[in-house]
Amino acid sequence: MVSKEEVLRWDENGVPYSVTFDDKYFCREHGYAEAIYVGCDGNDLENRFAALDKNVNGVFTIIETGFGTGLDFCCAWQMWDGCAPPSWTLNFVSLELYPLSAEQISRALSHWPTISRYKEALAVQYAPSSGEVGRYSFDGGRVRLSIAFDDVVVALKRIKDDGLAPQGADAWFLDGFGPSKNPEMWIADVFKGMALLSRQGTTLSTFTVAELRARAL
């Protein structure tokens, strides 16, 4: 794992740029809207959260490939807050080989005050450790976050073996930079690992429209 200093640099607008993958983490002007559109709207989460049976103590699981700045997590948590019945738990599972520090995450997400509550709560607990699984709990356990700090194929196996998503994914957020920048995130073994963590009714969303990856999925 590279050092924190090597993971990113900041552009003139305060947007984090990955040194490892030669790409920005998000668009300064539209990053928040894009996260909602691709991850949440792409999986129809607002309607699905609202339709959960309020008489059931259930768990809704999202698995994400690439935690990055935590923007997708904060957006999903915000939507969960506004739509899901209080008897349900959001189980958000992610992975990250090149984690940012809590300070870097807080700085990156400061562009969007609408998620300030969520990014501040995340930054307080977040403490990455190479090869380990970070486990965090928010809102009295109503929101759980697990992050496997490892290579994507190894992390997906760890997620399955450790029972971090015992019922499989309800929805996938496929992230982690595009195929041209981070090809290892889009290989056959990754899709096989996803299949083992999916079930009937699982949905997925991704920003990439590369035809080869669509066929592989």
PDB file of all heavy atoms in Angstrom, residues 3 12 23 25 33 49 58 62 66 68 70-71 92 95 115 124-125 131-132 159 176 183 197 207:
ATOM      1  N   SER A   3       2.010   5.204   0.464  1.00  0.00           N
ATOM      2  CA  SER A   3       1.824   6.108   1.594  1.00  0.00           C
ATOM      3  C   SER A   3       0.713   7.093   1.318  1.00  0.00           C
ATOM      4  O   SER A   3       0.306   7.318   0.176  1.00  0.00           O
ATOM      5  CB  SER A   3       3.121   6.870   1.866  1.00  0.00           C
ATOM      6  OG  SER A   3       3.341   7.828   0.847  1.00  0.00           O
ATOM      7  N   GLU A  12      -6.262  22.974  -8.049  1.00  0.00           N
ATOM      8  CA  GLU A  12      -6.460  24.358  -7.617  1.00  0.00           C
ATOM      9  C   GLU A  12      -7.851  24.617  -7.053  1.00  0.00           C
ATOM     10  O   GLU A  12      -8.073  25.613  -6.365  1.00  0.00           O
ATOM     11  CB  GLU A  12      -6.203  25.308  -8.798  1.00  0.00           C
ATOM     12  CG  GLU A  12      -7.178  25.182  -9.960  1.00  0.00           C
ATOM     13  CD  GLU A  12      -6.817  24.058 -10.925  1.00  0.00           C
ATOM     14  OE1 GLU A  12      -5.879  23.284 -10.591  1.00  0.00           O
ATOM     15  OE2 GLU A  12      -7.448  23.946 -11.982  1.00  0.00           O
ATOM     16  N   ASP A  23      -6.170  10.158 -12.171  1.00  0.00           N
ATOM     17  CA  ASP A  23      -7.554  10.555 -12.434  1.00  0.00           C
ATOM     18  C   ASP A  23      -8.107  11.240 -11.193  1.00  0.00           C
ATOM     19  O   ASP A  23      -7.654  10.982 -10.071  1.00  0.00           O
ATOM     20  CB  ASP A  23      -8.404   9.330 -12.767  1.00  0.00           C
ATOM     21  CG  ASP A  23      -9.686   9.672 -13.512  1.00  0.00           C
ATOM     22  OD1 ASP A  23      -9.905  10.864 -13.804  1.00  0.00           O
ATOM     23  OD2 ASP A  23     -10.467   8.739 -13.804  1.00  0.00           O
ATOM     24  N   TYR A  25     -11.010  12.063  -8.320  1.00  0.00           N
ATOM     25  CA  TYR A  25     -11.983  11.242  -7.601  1.00  0.00           C
ATOM     26  C   TYR A  25     -13.416  11.624  -7.961  1.00  0.00           C
ATOM     27  O   TYR A  25     -14.302  10.779  -7.940  1.00  0.00           O
ATOM     28  CB  TYR A  25     -11.782  11.385  -6.089  1.00  0.00           C
ATOM     29  CG  TYR A  25     -10.641  10.561  -5.553  1.00  0.00           C
ATOM     30  CD1 TYR A  25      -9.331  11.035  -5.587  1.00  0.00           C
ATOM     31  CD2 TYR A  25     -10.863   9.303  -4.998  1.00  0.00           C
ATOM     32  CE1 TYR A  25      -8.274  10.281  -5.102  1.00  0.00           C
ATOM     33  CE2 TYR A  25      -9.816   8.540  -4.502  1.00  0.00           C
ATOM     34  CZ  TYR A  25      -8.530   9.034  -4.557  1.00  0.00           C
ATOM     35  OH  TYR A  25      -7.494   8.278  -4.081  1.00  0.00           O
ATOM     36  N   ALA A  33     -24.077  15.278  -7.290  1.00  0.00           N
ATOM     37  CA  ALA A  33     -25.215  14.921  -8.145  1.00  0.00           C
ATOM     38  C   ALA A  33     -24.935  13.643  -8.927  1.00  0.00           C
ATOM     39  O   ALA A  33     -25.828  12.798  -9.106  1.00  0.00           O
ATOM     40  CB  ALA A  33     -25.538  16.067  -9.098  1.00  0.00           C
ATOM     41  N   PHE A  49     -35.928   1.898  -0.748  1.00  0.00           N
ATOM     42  CA  PHE A  49     -35.866   2.193   0.689  1.00  0.00           C
ATOM     43  C   PHE A  49     -37.259   2.487   1.234  1.00  0.00           C
ATOM     44  O   PHE A  49     -37.647   1.988   2.295  1.00  0.00           O
ATOM     45  CB  PHE A  49     -34.959   3.399   0.947  1.00  0.00           C
ATOM     46  CG  PHE A  49     -33.489   3.151   0.742  1.00  0.00           C
ATOM     47  CD1 PHE A  49     -32.594   4.220   0.736  1.00  0.00           C
ATOM     48  CD2 PHE A  49     -32.986   1.873   0.553  1.00  0.00           C
ATOM     49  CE1 PHE A  49     -31.234   4.007   0.561  1.00  0.00           C
ATOM     50  CE2 PHE A  49     -31.632   1.650   0.372  1.00  0.00           C
ATOM     51  CZ  PHE A  49     -30.747   2.732   0.368  1.00  0.00           C
ATOM     52  N   GLY A  58     -35.279  -5.548   9.214  1.00  0.00           N
ATOM     53  CA  GLY A  58     -34.491  -6.103   8.123  1.00  0.00           C
ATOM     54  C   GLY A  58     -33.173  -5.413   7.902  1.00  0.00           C
ATOM     55  O   GLY A  58     -32.842  -4.415   8.550  1.00  0.00           O
ATOM     56  N   ILE A  62     -25.648  -2.886   0.584  1.00  0.00           N
ATOM     57  CA  ILE A  62     -25.004  -2.325  -0.601  1.00  0.00           C
ATOM     58  C   ILE A  62     -23.530  -2.710  -0.553  1.00  0.00           C
ATOM     59  O   ILE A  62     -22.873  -2.543   0.477  1.00  0.00           O
ATOM     60  CB  ILE A  62     -25.125  -0.791  -0.636  1.00  0.00           C
ATOM     61  CG1 ILE A  62     -26.592  -0.356  -0.712  1.00  0.00           C
ATOM     62  CG2 ILE A  62     -24.339  -0.213  -1.819  1.00  0.00           C
ATOM     63  CD1 ILE A  62     -26.792   1.143  -0.552  1.00  0.00           C
ATOM     64  N   GLY A  66     -14.600   0.060  -4.315  1.00  0.00           N
ATOM     65  CA  GLY A  66     -13.793   1.287  -4.291  1.00  0.00           C
ATOM     66  C   GLY A  66     -14.398   2.355  -3.408  1.00  0.00           C
ATOM     67  O   GLY A  66     -15.257   3.113  -3.838  1.00  0.00           O
ATOM     68  N   GLY A  68     -12.860   5.045  -1.941  1.00  0.00           N
ATOM     69  CA  GLY A  68     -12.421   6.386  -2.327  1.00  0.00           C
ATOM     70  C   GLY A  68     -12.578   7.411  -1.222  1.00  0.00           C
ATOM     71  O   GLY A  68     -12.072   7.251  -0.108  1.00  0.00           O
ATOM     72  N   GLY A  70     -15.453   8.198   0.121  1.00  0.00           N
ATOM     73  CA  GLY A  70     -16.638   7.926   0.920  1.00  0.00           C
ATOM     74  C   GLY A  70     -17.873   8.676   0.449  1.00  0.00           C
ATOM     75  O   GLY A  70     -18.904   8.661   1.115  1.00  0.00           O
ATOM     76  N   LEU A  71     -17.798   9.335  -0.706  1.00  0.00           N
ATOM     77  CA  LEU A  71     -18.923  10.130  -1.198  1.00  0.00           C
ATOM     78  C   LEU A  71     -20.152   9.261  -1.436  1.00  0.00           C
ATOM     79  O   LEU A  71     -21.269   9.627  -1.038  1.00  0.00           O
ATOM     80  CB  LEU A  71     -18.521  10.851  -2.482  1.00  0.00           C
ATOM     81  CG  LEU A  71     -19.621  11.675  -3.180  1.00  0.00           C
ATOM     82  CD1 LEU A  71     -20.180  12.741  -2.246  1.00  0.00           C
ATOM     83  CD2 LEU A  71     -19.077  12.309  -4.460  1.00  0.00           C
ATOM     84  N   PHE A  92     -23.565  -1.287   4.599  1.00  0.00           N
ATOM     85  CA  PHE A  92     -22.776  -0.804   3.466  1.00  0.00           C
ATOM     86  C   PHE A  92     -21.394  -1.437   3.547  1.00  0.00           C
ATOM     87  O   PHE A  92     -20.673  -1.253   4.524  1.00  0.00           O
ATOM     88  CB  PHE A  92     -22.679   0.719   3.499  1.00  0.00           C
ATOM     89  CG  PHE A  92     -22.219   1.351   2.215  1.00  0.00           C
ATOM     90  CD1 PHE A  92     -23.128   1.923   1.339  1.00  0.00           C
ATOM     91  CD2 PHE A  92     -20.870   1.370   1.871  1.00  0.00           C
ATOM     92  CE1 PHE A  92     -22.715   2.514   0.147  1.00  0.00           C
ATOM     93  CE2 PHE A  92     -20.444   1.952   0.678  1.00  0.00           C
ATOM     94  CZ  PHE A  92     -21.375   2.529  -0.190  1.00  0.00           C
ATOM     95  N   LEU A  95     -14.585  -1.753  -0.301  1.00  0.00           N
ATOM     96  CA  LEU A  95     -13.195  -2.209  -0.315  1.00  0.00           C
ATOM     97  C   LEU A  95     -12.322  -1.074  -0.825  1.00  0.00           C
ATOM     98  O   LEU A  95     -12.775  -0.199  -1.554  1.00  0.00           O
ATOM     99  CB  LEU A  95     -13.045  -3.464  -1.181  1.00  0.00           C
ATOM    100  CG  LEU A  95     -13.575  -3.376  -2.612  1.00  0.00           C
ATOM    101  CD1 LEU A  95     -12.476  -2.957  -3.587  1.00  0.00           C
ATOM    102  CD2 LEU A  95     -14.149  -4.714  -3.045  1.00  0.00           C
ATOM    103  N   ILE A 115     -24.044  17.031   2.989  1.00  0.00           N
ATOM    104  CA  ILE A 115     -23.681  15.753   3.606  1.00  0.00           C
ATOM    105  C   ILE A 115     -22.685  15.941   4.744  1.00  0.00           C
ATOM    106  O   ILE A 115     -22.009  14.999   5.142  1.00  0.00           O
ATOM    107  CB  ILE A 115     -23.117  14.765   2.569  1.00  0.00           C
ATOM    108  CG1 ILE A 115     -21.904  15.364   1.840  1.00  0.00           C
ATOM    109  CG2 ILE A 115     -24.204  14.320   1.591  1.00  0.00           C
ATOM    110  CD1 ILE A 115     -21.168  14.360   0.948  1.00  0.00           C
ATOM    111  N   VAL A 124     -14.713  10.799  12.088  1.00  0.00           N
ATOM    112  CA  VAL A 124     -14.420  10.540  13.499  1.00  0.00           C
ATOM    113  C   VAL A 124     -13.984   9.097  13.714  1.00  0.00           C
ATOM    114  O   VAL A 124     -13.079   8.804  14.502  1.00  0.00           O
ATOM    115  CB  VAL A 124     -15.647  10.872  14.373  1.00  0.00           C
ATOM    116  CG1 VAL A 124     -15.485  10.303  15.770  1.00  0.00           C
ATOM    117  CG2 VAL A 124     -15.869  12.372  14.444  1.00  0.00           C
ATOM    118  N   GLN A 125     -14.621   8.157  13.008  1.00  0.00           N
ATOM    119  CA  GLN A 125     -14.352   6.738  13.239  1.00  0.00           C
ATOM    120  C   GLN A 125     -13.337   6.135  12.275  1.00  0.00           C
ATOM    121  O   GLN A 125     -12.633   5.183  12.621  1.00  0.00           O
ATOM    122  CB  GLN A 125     -15.656   5.937  13.128  1.00  0.00           C
ATOM    123  CG  GLN A 125     -16.682   6.216  14.192  1.00  0.00           C
ATOM    124  CD  GLN A 125     -17.780   5.170  14.204  1.00  0.00           C
ATOM    125  OE1 GLN A 125     -17.536   3.968  14.018  1.00  0.00           O
ATOM    126  NE2 GLN A 125     -19.009   5.603  14.409  1.00  0.00           N
ATOM    127  N   GLY A 131      -4.779  -4.668   4.768  1.00  0.00           N
ATOM    128  CA  GLY A 131      -5.051  -6.085   4.948  1.00  0.00           C
ATOM    129  C   GLY A 131      -6.103  -6.403   5.974  1.00  0.00           C
ATOM    130  O   GLY A 131      -6.392  -7.582   6.224  1.00  0.00           O
ATOM    131  N   GLU A 132      -6.691  -5.405   6.572  1.00  0.00           N
ATOM    132  CA  GLU A 132      -7.700  -5.616   7.610  1.00  0.00           C
ATOM    133  C   GLU A 132      -9.080  -5.192   7.110  1.00  0.00           C
ATOM    134  O   GLU A 132      -9.224  -4.635   6.020  1.00  0.00           O
ATOM    135  CB  GLU A 132      -7.338  -4.816   8.866  1.00  0.00           C
ATOM    136  CG  GLU A 132      -5.992  -5.176   9.472  1.00  0.00           C
ATOM    137  CD  GLU A 132      -5.951  -6.602   9.986  1.00  0.00           C
ATOM    138  OE1 GLU A 132      -7.005  -7.113  10.422  1.00  0.00           O
ATOM    139  OE2 GLU A 132      -4.861  -7.212   9.941  1.00  0.00           O
ATOM    140  N   ILE A 159     -14.975 -10.513   2.024  1.00  0.00           N
ATOM    141  CA  ILE A 159     -16.349 -10.104   2.328  1.00  0.00           C
ATOM    142  C   ILE A 159     -17.255 -11.326   2.437  1.00  0.00           C
ATOM    143  O   ILE A 159     -18.089 -11.417   3.342  1.00  0.00           O
ATOM    144  CB  ILE A 159     -16.858  -9.128   1.246  1.00  0.00           C
ATOM    145  CG1 ILE A 159     -16.151  -7.775   1.373  1.00  0.00           C
ATOM    146  CG2 ILE A 159     -18.384  -8.940   1.350  1.00  0.00           C
ATOM    147  CD1 ILE A 159     -16.378  -6.847   0.205  1.00  0.00           C
ATOM    148  N   GLY A 176     -14.339   2.769  -8.467  1.00  0.00           N
ATOM    149  CA  GLY A 176     -12.920   2.427  -8.463  1.00  0.00           C
ATOM    150  C   GLY A 176     -12.172   2.868  -9.696  1.00  0.00           C
ATOM    151  O   GLY A 176     -11.280   2.164 -10.174  1.00  0.00           O
ATOM    152  N   PRO A 183      -7.586  -1.115 -14.740  1.00  0.00           N
ATOM    153  CA  PRO A 183      -8.128  -2.324 -15.368  1.00  0.00           C
ATOM    154  C   PRO A 183      -8.322  -3.494 -14.419  1.00  0.00           C
ATOM    155  O   PRO A 183      -9.198  -4.342 -14.641  1.00  0.00           O
ATOM    156  CB  PRO A 183      -7.097  -2.648 -16.461  1.00  0.00           C
ATOM    157  CG  PRO A 183      -5.845  -1.944 -16.042  1.00  0.00           C
ATOM    158  CD  PRO A 183      -6.304  -0.700 -15.342  1.00  0.00           C
ATOM    159  N   LEU A 197     -21.595 -13.052  -4.458  1.00  0.00           N
ATOM    160  CA  LEU A 197     -22.178 -12.190  -3.432  1.00  0.00           C
ATOM    161  C   LEU A 197     -23.508 -11.585  -3.895  1.00  0.00           C
ATOM    162  O   LEU A 197     -23.993 -10.634  -3.293  1.00  0.00           O
ATOM    163  CB  LEU A 197     -21.197 -11.073  -3.072  1.00  0.00           C
ATOM    164  CG  LEU A 197     -19.987 -11.494  -2.247  1.00  0.00           C
ATOM    165  CD1 LEU A 197     -18.889 -10.432  -2.307  1.00  0.00           C
ATOM    166  CD2 LEU A 197     -20.395 -11.745  -0.800  1.00  0.00           C
ATOM    167  N   PHE A 207     -20.720   3.865 -13.528  1.00  0.00           N
ATOM    168  CA  PHE A 207     -20.556   5.038 -14.377  1.00  0.00           C
ATOM    169  C   PHE A 207     -19.996   4.682 -15.745  1.00  0.00           C
ATOM    170  O   PHE A 207     -20.140   5.436 -16.694  1.00  0.00           O
ATOM    171  CB  PHE A 207     -19.598   6.033 -13.711  1.00  0.00           C
ATOM    172  CG  PHE A 207     -18.209   5.460 -13.546  1.00  0.00           C
ATOM    173  CD1 PHE A 207     -17.247   5.650 -14.514  1.00  0.00           C
ATOM    174  CD2 PHE A 207     -17.899   4.719 -12.411  1.00  0.00           C
ATOM    175  CE1 PHE A 207     -15.982   5.103 -14.369  1.00  0.00           C
ATOM    176  CE2 PHE A 207     -16.634   4.170 -12.259  1.00  0.00           C
ATOM    177  CZ  PHE A 207     -15.674   4.361 -13.241  1.00  0.00           C
TER     178      PHE A 207
END
